Amino acid sequence: MKQETQDSFWDRVRKTRGDRAHVRKYVQQGEWRKAEDDVERRNAFRARERRRKASIRDDRPGGPSDHPQRESIQGDTDDLQPVSFLPEGATVRRAIAKVEVNTQDSSDQGTGFLISPDLLLTNQHVIKDTAHARAATITFDYETDPLGRRSPVTIFELDPDRFELYSEEGNLDFALIAVGRKVQGPGQKGEFGYCPLANTPDRHQKGMNVNIIQHPGGVPKTIAVRNNLLTDRTDRFLLYETDTLQGSSGAPVFNDGWDVVALHHYGAPSDPGDGESPTIAVNEGIRISRIYTHLEAELPGLEEPKRELLHAALRLFESATPALPHVDRPRVTPEPTPESERGERKTPSVVIRRDGASIESPVDTRDGSTTFVVPIEITVRIPGAKTPAAPSTSGAGRLRGTSSARLTSQEAKKLDRNYANRNGFREDFIPGLAVDLDRILAPVQNLVTPLKDSESQAARGELKYQNFSVFLDSNHRLALLTATNIDGESYRSVDRKSGVAEGETWYIDRRIDRDAFIDQDFYTAWSHIFDRGHLTRRNDPTWGTKKEAERANADTFHFTNCSPQQWRFNQTIEFWQGIERYVLEKGVSDQPGEIRVSVLQGPVYLDAAGQDTSIFADDVQIPNAFWKLVLWRSPEGKSRAVALLADQDLLLDEFREGGSSMPDDDADVSVEEFRVTVADLESRTGLDLSAFRNFDTFSAAAAPGVGERARRLRLRNWSDLKL
């Protein structure tokens, strides 16, 4: 948000404080209809509402007088809706798309919606100009079905040459752009419907509820429904209380009849200085009537065929059906991007192969009937409940910097595309404990994927990010090795507010060929088994200045740092997730400047006997385990190393709800986590980790006569990690 826009927003929040409190008072008294002070608007709104609700008010035996209304209404508002509210919402939601803008300098995200089959509306602060429009894609059906499975998505580019019109962020903050060519997916242009614009005065009134369908934080499509009060109105804006996050910008704000009443613009908790509780979220949307009037005024100045495109869109509310119902398709892989743009790829099927046998994900069969799907995700926050705790360290010293320097995922969501400012992994980060990446990779150097020729030291293959580096495996199109520095002294914890699985936005790194790593095509096709799993953990490199920590957090969301992890993997890896924090708090000195850790990690494709397990999802070999090596210096100045292995092999036959599942007697199977020797990691990965063998706190305590490559300990509690 620009500073002048932010100042203007807070000024409106403060000036409308009394009016909004007045509306809330009416609602709390159960008289929300009296909140509207424009009598003409109130009457028009009520007339429209009566026509829509006639089916539940007048069609009952004996008429409405037989059913005393007030005795059955619970809470502040009348939440009764005709049953058509659900299928109508399910129909309209198809016209809403996730918007992503990937330029050389940044990656931004938002929401947008079709106002006609040809034109998409979003905020100007999401798509700023022609250059950003050319760099944008819009994704439809990015959502989950009633069984929790990901729907096949359809992606389009935008075509600003055909049509584009903008209003500055400080004015009406909109971008209206023509839909361009299809990039991928089963959907066809025109089948997603649209949400027509109108400027009639009968579509909203103060005190009513609004409904927002959106992609908050880039997650699959969600809806904010009920208890979302429209509390005030200015000449240009509507103010309302609801749940939104970064990524919600550009979403349509609906009334209960699914008419668009505003273009969501900005939102924030109430200013603590305005006398309200800071928990009240004040959101602001541009009034659709103002946008409509502005667009109508632009018509005479447009050349054909642009004028006809806009004219047709502005007439749609008069008679047209807003959108088409969603016909369920079998859950198949979206069609691949043309080979000329993405490199040769095999078209994925829905089969997983293991040891010569095949396991098929069931494909729905339909009789051709139309099915309405309402993709509502509800997050319940219980007052007084706490978020899951970090691993217990039983009195371990507090990690400095974590409580006073906390960031939010909203602040860190924008990706800085100027990769020249990334420091990457520092080999001399821990004084007295050098980590030579070239030596480590030497035995498998032929597998390291080089960068594009235009990049510095392209042949070395190092992708430098903030405080960590990634080397890709040319055989598997996944990371071969990630190397991360962690500075506990300047560490900053980054909140992760999204509670939706698979909710993050992941980024493409243009420094390496697009076909050198698997991307969203794979994870969409295989969402019934795999999540997008971080290798370098999201919270590991978040240290340094606030800006550097934000950059590091965003950098971990590159597909180059991503690996297929069975969907239950993260639920059952207690030690794998917490080892870095445990070492920082238990295994190093509390003296300033000495709280430093380096972490090496990557995927494993060999079992304990050194055999290739050959688990494939189409042409992608799936890691059966993941390894991690944590390095640090003890308070006495001695180098230390802990090696871990997290094995997901036993989970790979289990699909999400709606697909095949494991037998009941295997229901408790989870990820196996082992303390292993450094030598064992060498044998499994082919890397040269010999420099750290003498620092291995596990092999040093090995029982006599036990070969160190064979030693491993199933982790069951934190005391097993003797440092």
Side-chain angles (χ1 to χ4, degrees):
M1 183 187 294
K2 295 180 180 178
Q3 186 60 48
E4 57 268 31
T5 309
Q6 182 176 1
D7 292 343
S8 177
F9 171 74
W10 284 123
D11 186 55
R12 282 189 294 277
V13 169
R14 295 184 180 99
K15 286 181 177 179
T16 61
R17 178 181 60 189
D19 291 340
R20 290 184 288 110
H22 187 66
V23 169
R24 285 197 297 271
K25 181 178 178 181
Y26 272 118
V27 172
Q28 291 165 0
Q29 294 173 346
E31 298 180 330
W32 70 272
R33 298 179 190 281
K34 295 181 181 180
E36 177 57 62
D37 48 12
D38 184 331
V39 177
E40 184 177 345
R41 175 178 291 277
R42 182 171 63 198
N43 290 338
F45 179 84
R46 292 190 67 177
R48 184 181 184 88
E49 186 186 46
R50 280 196 297 270
R51 292 193 297 271
R52 192 178 67 85
K53 288 192 173 183
S55 61
I56 64 169
R57 295 302 190 201
D58 301 324
D59 293 346
R60 295 169 298 201
S65 60
D66 288 350
H67 297 264
Q69 293 295 305
R70 295 304 308 162
E71 293 180 3
S72 61
I73 303 303
Q74 305 297 317
D76 297 337
T77 58
D78 180 354
D79 289 337
L80 292 177
Q81 292 294 325
V83 71
S84 60
F85 176 81
L86 296 177
E88 286 172 2
T91 299
V92 167
R93 116 281 187 182
R94 290 210 71 204
I96 290 111
K98 178 182 176 182
V99 179
E100 295 182 86
V101 184
N102 293 302
T103 68
Q104 291 295 330
D105 298 323
S106 66
S107 289
D108 297 310
Q109 60 191 12
T111 303
F113 62 99
L114 296 172
I115 69 165
S116 76
D118 296 291
L119 299 177
L120 180 112
L121 183 67
T122 187
N123 288 135
Q124 189 267 338
H125 76 258
V126 174
I127 299 180
K128 297 176 177 60
D129 50 31
T130 303
H132 279 76
R134 296 192 198 284
T137 56
I138 55 175
T139 303
F140 292 94
D141 292 336
Y142 181 47
E143 57 191 52
T144 54
D145 70 10
L147 295 178
R149 299 169 302 185
R150 188 67 55 78
S151 298
V153 300
T154 301
I155 302 176
F156 292 90
E157 292 178 344
L158 294 175
D159 187 356
D161 294 332
R162 187 178 179 213
F163 187 96
E164 64 177 346
L165 200 59
Y166 304 91
S167 176
E168 289 294 325
E169 177 182 339
N171 188 12
L172 298 181
D173 192 17
F174 74 75
L176 184 63
I177 309 167
V179 179
R181 73 176 188 89
K182 185 170 76 169
V183 177
Q184 70 173 61
Q188 300 300 320
K189 184 179 175 181
E191 80 169 65
F192 299 98
Y194 46 86
C195 305
L197 307 187
N199 64 345
T200 59
D202 57 354
R203 295 171 183 254
H204 78 262
Q205 77 153 72
K206 296 177 186 177
M208 77 173 197
N209 283 295
V210 295
N211 310 299
I212 305 180
I213 301 178
Q214 56 192 302
H215 288 282
V219 304
K221 194 174 295 173
T222 63
I223 179 170
V225 62
R226 318 318 305 154
N227 298 319
N228 305 321
L229 292 180
L230 194 160
T231 55
D232 211 349
R233 174 181 60 247
T234 71
D235 182 50
R236 281 189 293 163
F237 304 102
L238 296 183
L239 279 76
Y240 39 90
E241 299 166 2
T242 187
D243 294 326
T244 58
L245 286 174
Q246 182 174 347
S248 301
S249 294
V253 181
F254 297 100
N255 61 20
D256 282 342
W258 298 107
D259 304 309
V260 186
V261 297
L263 172 66
H264 181 68
H265 171 63
Y266 282 121
S270 289
D271 183 358
D274 71 1
E276 299 176 86
S277 166
T279 61
I280 296 176
V282 180
N283 287 268
E284 181 178 81
I286 312 296
R287 293 177 60 176
I288 284 298
S289 58
R290 280 299 306 273
I291 294 176
Y292 186 100
T293 301
H294 180 90
L295 294 175
E296 209 169 32
E298 291 287 331
L299 276 172
L302 297 176
E303 299 178 353
E304 294 294 352
K306 295 181 180 180
R307 180 167 57 239
E308 179 53 36
L309 272 179
L310 182 57
H311 181 269
L314 295 180
R315 300 278 75 82
L316 287 175
F317 81 92
E318 298 174 351
S319 59
T321 302
L324 301 175
H326 183 189
V327 180
D328 267 6
R329 300 182 182 88
R331 269 28 183 191
V332 296
T333 305
E335 65 187 40
T337 306
E339 292 177 6
S340 61
E341 298 181 30
R342 300 289 295 278
E344 185 177 357
R345 297 277 186 89
K346 295 181 181 178
T347 303
S349 61
V350 279
V351 178
I352 185 166
R353 303 190 301 277
R354 176 198 287 272
D355 300 330
S358 297
I359 305 170
E360 296 191 13
S361 172
V363 176
D364 292 349
T365 55
R366 304 287 180 180
D367 58 5
S369 61
T370 299
T371 301
F372 292 104
V373 179
V374 186
I376 297 178
E377 300 187 21
I378 301 174
T379 300
V380 179
R381 293 181 176 86
I382 303 173
K386 297 182 179 180
T387 55
S392 172
T393 55
S394 303
R398 188 187 187 101
L399 179 61
R400 291 193 290 275
T402 57
S403 60
S404 61
R406 184 170 293 276
L407 310 177
T408 67
S409 57
Q410 285 178 268
E411 294 174 324
K413 200 60 182 174
K414 185 175 180 178
L415 178 70
D416 180 0
R417 289 281 188 182
N418 178 25
Y419 293 107
N421 61 20
R422 305 307 204 272
N423 56 357
F425 179 83
R426 278 182 50 193
E427 298 185 342
D428 61 351
F429 182 70
I430 303 175
L433 204 172
V435 180
D436 186 341
L437 295 180
D438 289 335
R439 175 180 173 178
I440 291 171
L441 290 166
V444 294
Q445 184 58 46
N446 62 314
L447 298 179
V448 176
T449 305
L451 309 186
K452 291 180 178 177
D453 292 339
S454 57
E455 299 297 323
S456 175
Q457 295 184 307
R460 188 165 184 261
E462 181 181 9
L463 287 164
K464 291 185 177 181
Y465 298 107
Q466 188 67 41
N467 301 330
F468 72 101
S469 294
V470 174
F471 295 84
L472 286 178
D473 182 335
S474 58
N475 278 354
H476 296 99
R477 289 188 289 146
L478 299 172
L480 178 63
L481 169 72
T482 75
T484 310
N485 299 134
I486 306 174
D487 185 354
E489 188 67 23
S490 61
Y491 181 82
R492 294 171 182 262
S493 179
V494 180
D495 288 338
R496 188 180 199 169
K497 292 189 174 181
S498 171
V500 183
E502 285 285 278
E504 306 89 358
T505 295
W506 288 74
Y507 301 108
I508 300 297
D509 193 326
R510 297 192 180 93
R511 294 175 293 175
I512 199 161
D513 290 337
R514 184 67 178 267
D515 61 355
F517 53 90
I518 65 173
D519 57 18
Q520 190 55 46
D521 290 351
F522 174 85
Y523 292 103
T524 297
W526 288 92
S527 62
H528 57 297
I529 301 179
F530 301 113
D531 283 346
R532 299 169 297 189
H534 286 80
L535 288 172
T536 287
R537 294 174 62 243
R538 184 183 60 86
N539 276 338
D540 279 357
T542 55
W543 55 269
T545 66
K546 180 174 181 288
K547 186 174 183 179
E548 289 168 343
E550 291 171 354
R551 184 187 299 142
N553 177 58
D555 276 355
T556 65
F557 288 91
H558 279 84
F559 280 109
T560 51
N561 185 46
C562 187
S563 181
Q565 292 179 353
Q566 199 273 354
W567 61 276
R568 281 209 298 134
F569 183 86
N570 283 320
Q571 300 174 17
T572 53
I573 48 173
E574 176 186 6
F575 308 104
W576 180 268
Q577 293 281 41
I579 178 62
E580 294 94 330
R581 179 65 174 263
Y582 185 77
V583 168
L584 281 167
E585 296 188 353
K586 296 281 283 186
V588 298
S589 171
D590 286 336
Q591 297 302 312
E594 295 188 16
I595 308 179
R596 291 192 168 189
V597 170
S598 289
V599 181
L600 308 178
Q601 57 195 327
V604 176
Y605 304 94
L606 303 179
D607 62 19
Q611 300 299 312
D612 189 335
T613 57
S614 297
I615 303 169
F616 281 84
D618 300 308
D619 63 342
V620 176
Q621 186 171 5
I622 304 300
N624 71 312
F626 300 92
W627 66 272
K628 180 179 294 190
L629 181 63
V630 185
L631 305 167
W632 77 99
R633 296 274 284 180
S634 73
E636 298 79 23
K638 295 182 179 180
S639 297
R640 293 283 185 261
V642 166
L644 296 183
L645 194 69
D647 192 338
Q648 68 172 354
D649 185 68
L650 295 178
L651 292 177
L652 291 177
D653 293 341
E654 182 184 4
F655 296 172
R656 295 186 199 267
E657 184 177 357
S660 299
S661 61
M662 301 191 314
D664 291 340
D665 57 358
D666 288 335
D668 293 332
V669 171
S670 62
V671 173
E672 292 185 314
E673 297 176 86
F674 297 98
R675 175 85 180 270
V676 298
T677 65
V678 172
D680 184 48
L681 291 188
E682 288 187 89
S683 66
R684 288 173 180 265
T685 64
L687 300 172
D688 182 359
L689 303 174
S690 59
F692 314 116
R693 291 180 193 169
N694 292 334
F695 309 150
D696 191 343
T697 59
F698 188 43
S699 61
V706 179
E708 69 173 359
R709 288 194 176 189
R711 276 196 60 79
R712 63 178 189 169
L713 173 69
R714 176 76 181 271
L715 293 175
R716 301 186 185 280
N717 55 67
W718 286 99
S719 63
D720 291 334
L721 286 169
K722 293 182 173 63
L723 305 182

